Amino acid sequence: MLRKLLRAMGARHASRSGEMPQSPPKPPAGGGISQRLDKLPGGMIGEVEREARDACARDPHRAESHYVAGKEFLAHGDFSAAATELRCAIELDSGQAEFFHDLGIAFRGLGEKRQALAAFERTLAIGHGHVSAAYHAGLTHAELGELADAKDCYSLALAFDPCSSAARIELAGLLMDQDMPQAALDLLREALAEGIADAAVYSRLARFSVQTGDVRAAEDAYRAAIERFPDNAGLLVNFGMLWLGQLGDATEAETLFRRAIAIDPESVEAQANLGLSLQEQGRFDEALRHYEGQLALRPAVVEYRWNRGLLHLIQGNFREGWRDYELRKSRADAGGIHDKFNLPDWDGSPLRGRSILIYGEQGLGDEIMFASCLPEVISDSGSCTIECDARLESLYRRSFPEAKIAARASGRGRDWRTACPELEIQSAIGSLPRFLRRSASDFPPRGRYLVADGQARARWRARFETCGGAPTVGISWRGGTPRTRGLLRSIALGEIVKLIDSAHATFVVLQRGLTAEEHSALAAHPNVWMSEEVSDLDELAALVSVLDLTISVPSTTVHLAGALGRPLWVLLGHSPEWRYLWEGERMPWYPSAKLYRRNRDEDWQAVLARVALDFNGFFRRSGSNSSSA
């Protein structure tokens, strides 16, 4: 694509010599409407746009009148009308780069991507060095999955204008997606070194640094950005989120959010996250007053009510929490999943004789946790169909034999009205607790509801007979991702090794994706057992079901062990997710789980010291090899 564009521009010699293509030609001369539009205050633009419409009617042969009318339609999102007017302008004057550029924008809005690319190519042929045309051509190629061409176009835009932050950010993102993180980071750092980075470049550098595991580099990027742009509320909010989600300091986050609010009191992000920072400090009453105050001013803002719901849930106020928890369906990170299911939603009324569809949502751990409600739904309904993550299909078929189990279709595109015409109602699995778990007393006292494969369990039990009768303890020390606060949920392997060395047990590694360094470190311990045979979730369930104890940070492993009803110790950081509640050693979802909380003035070593002390007592009480399930 890059060579094609350069040929269209007549600029192949510039590519070889390193010279920049010449600037785009100037717009039509004279006292045209577009020139007047640029000079007028915003409040008068509408008047000029109306004049453009009148001019088109009075003089249909004036290209610029059609062009300005086309821009008006673009501004209002009427891409079809815009394309019509811009075509008229081009028919009258085919030598204006901006006419073709805006036509390309209109085609993109209409989803006519090939026509858009042709228009951008023509723009570049006329207006050598047209940054926006190269940039939008890159976006269009990326949408078509033509990543090499997208990369060429972004590179071309940067060659035209190294200050183009939009092109630089898109190119860096493309490099990250292609597993070239160092190239992406270097591209962004280049802008910093040359003094041409804006706030968006700094923010993207910080974000990519977090993705590569270098949180301190992200912190440095934000500090440098705020020093340069001290009044940028968005930067302050993003830096606050780094403290809240990655560095684990809600107090520092609160300070940054308050600074952002002083600059932009209307910032929903700043106000909502200020409430979260108060929550994470345990200042629940203050956080609730903050949300209520913001909702009084802007009752339609989803984020305030969503955060309020999480505030109630972490305190165990389930009835109040579930009401706001329903707002997850309209959040941007829901990905429009709920719009793909068009049966009437279950309203909590009796299910006797009715046919219901339950569909999974959110993460795999959430899907397992909310499945604790499925036995009641299956028992109460006439028939129950469950659409689940494909990784759960065989486990669910075994655990819920009276239900119809279907693996999730790609793109969630299954037409359930056609596939199962008997279905009457539906429910997202995360909506079931709204009617079935309204108080702590609604949670079943026995947590086991998943059933592992018997043959696989027998194989694992036979493997562990060679351990000389020592208790078997599963361990997992990493959880989450950068997006889901993985750093705060994880423990360094060195701390886990201290626990391994302090206890008489066979430690079974449940952590997936071991690095070479981790594998080498664990192999040096004779009481550590590692296996490459756990190929899927069903096999992992069988393994966990025969262990005497599982010790894990918050992860899918926790949900699996809890749902199997197996002894489970959960290692919690000082900012736990709502499902673990704010305090106490127990969680309502999994009665077999014991929670070890890290206080704010503690390190992980102190938590693991408590775990080590409890080891002997646990195995004396339960007896080793207690793998009946």
Side-chain angles (χ1 to χ4, degrees), residues 22-359:
Q22 59 182 313
S23 299
K26 295 179 180 180
I33 294 173
S34 63
Q35 290 179 339
R36 293 170 57 193
L37 194 64
D38 290 339
K39 295 178 180 178
L40 282 176
M44 297 179 64
I45 290 178
E47 181 180 338
V48 177
E49 290 174 341
R50 286 192 295 275
E51 182 181 331
R53 285 179 174 274
D54 294 340
C56 288
R58 291 194 306 270
D59 186 0
H61 302 295
R62 183 175 174 81
E64 193 180 4
S65 297
H66 288 286
Y67 169 62
V68 176
K71 285 188 75 69
E72 178 189 356
F73 285 123
L74 275 183
H76 289 82
D78 190 340
F79 300 114
S80 179
T84 298
E85 292 295 339
L86 291 165
R87 282 197 186 102
C88 289
I90 289 168
E91 287 177 5
L92 295 169
D93 184 352
S94 61
Q96 301 301 323
E98 290 301 320
F99 292 5
F100 284 98
H101 171 266
D102 288 359
L103 180 61
I105 299 297
F107 280 140
R108 286 197 74 225
L110 292 168
E112 301 289 345
K113 301 186 190 304
R114 293 296 171 195
Q115 292 189 65
L117 287 172
F120 293 137
E121 184 177 328
R122 182 63 179 153
T123 304
L124 289 162
I126 300 169
H128 304 337
H130 200 294
V131 177
S132 181
Y135 168 70
H136 281 95
L139 291 179
T140 309
H141 277 302
E143 291 165 356
L144 290 167
E146 298 165 353
L147 302 184
D149 287 337
K151 183 177 179 181
D152 285 346
C153 291
Y154 296 142
S155 299
L156 194 64
L158 277 179
F160 294 156
D161 181 8
C163 294
S164 174
S165 292
R168 187 177 296 274
I169 287 170
E170 291 296 338
L171 180 55
L174 192 151
L175 293 169
M176 285 291 291
D177 292 341
Q178 295 181 329
D179 200 23
M180 301 171 65
Q182 192 57 54
L185 294 170
D186 288 346
L187 183 67
L188 297 172
R189 288 171 179 147
E190 177 185 67
L192 271 63
E194 296 180 3
I196 57 174
D198 62 8
V201 169
Y202 279 99
S203 289
R204 194 56 58 95
L205 175 60
R207 173 180 160 187
F208 288 168
S209 295
V210 170
Q211 286 182 227
T212 59
D214 194 347
V215 176
R216 291 303 171 185
E219 181 185 355
D220 291 342
Y222 279 129
R223 290 194 186 282
I226 291 171
E227 183 176 351
R228 186 173 175 189
F229 307 105
D231 296 327
N232 188 302
L235 277 175
L236 292 164
V237 170
N238 289 342
F239 194 18
M241 288 304 299
L242 184 76
W243 281 102
L244 200 59
Q246 304 294 334
L247 296 171
D249 191 333
T251 302
E252 184 67 26
E254 178 190 352
T255 299
L256 289 161
F257 295 141
R258 291 193 186 280
R259 284 179 60 186
I261 290 168
I263 296 168
D264 182 8
E266 300 299 315
S267 170
V268 171
E269 272 194 307
Q271 296 283 8
N273 286 307
L274 173 60
L276 282 180
S277 69
L278 297 173
Q279 283 179 230
E280 299 230 346
Q281 295 174 66
R283 295 155 61 184
F284 297 138
D285 291 343
E286 191 175 348
L288 182 59
R289 286 195 300 271
H290 176 72
Y291 293 138
E292 298 291 2
Q294 291 302 311
L295 282 167
L297 297 172
R298 302 176 73 177
V301 175
V302 169
E303 288 303 309
Y304 300 148
R305 294 172 60 197
W306 165 255
N307 286 359
R308 183 180 65 181
L310 299 184
L311 172 64
H312 281 304
L313 289 174
I314 200 170
Q315 296 178 88
N317 302 329
F318 296 110
R319 187 184 300 271
E320 296 86 349
W322 296 133
R323 186 167 49 247
D324 286 337
Y325 193 72
E326 284 298 291
L327 292 166
R328 72 192 184 283
K329 297 177 180 178
S330 58
R331 284 165 52 88
D333 56 8
I337 290 172
H338 303 278
D339 297 334
K340 297 178 183 292
F341 296 87
N342 53 16
L343 293 167
D345 283 325
W346 180 44
D347 59 3
S349 56
L351 287 169
R352 292 188 297 273
R354 305 171 80 184
S355 180
I356 185 171
L357 167 68
I358 308 297
Y359 62 91

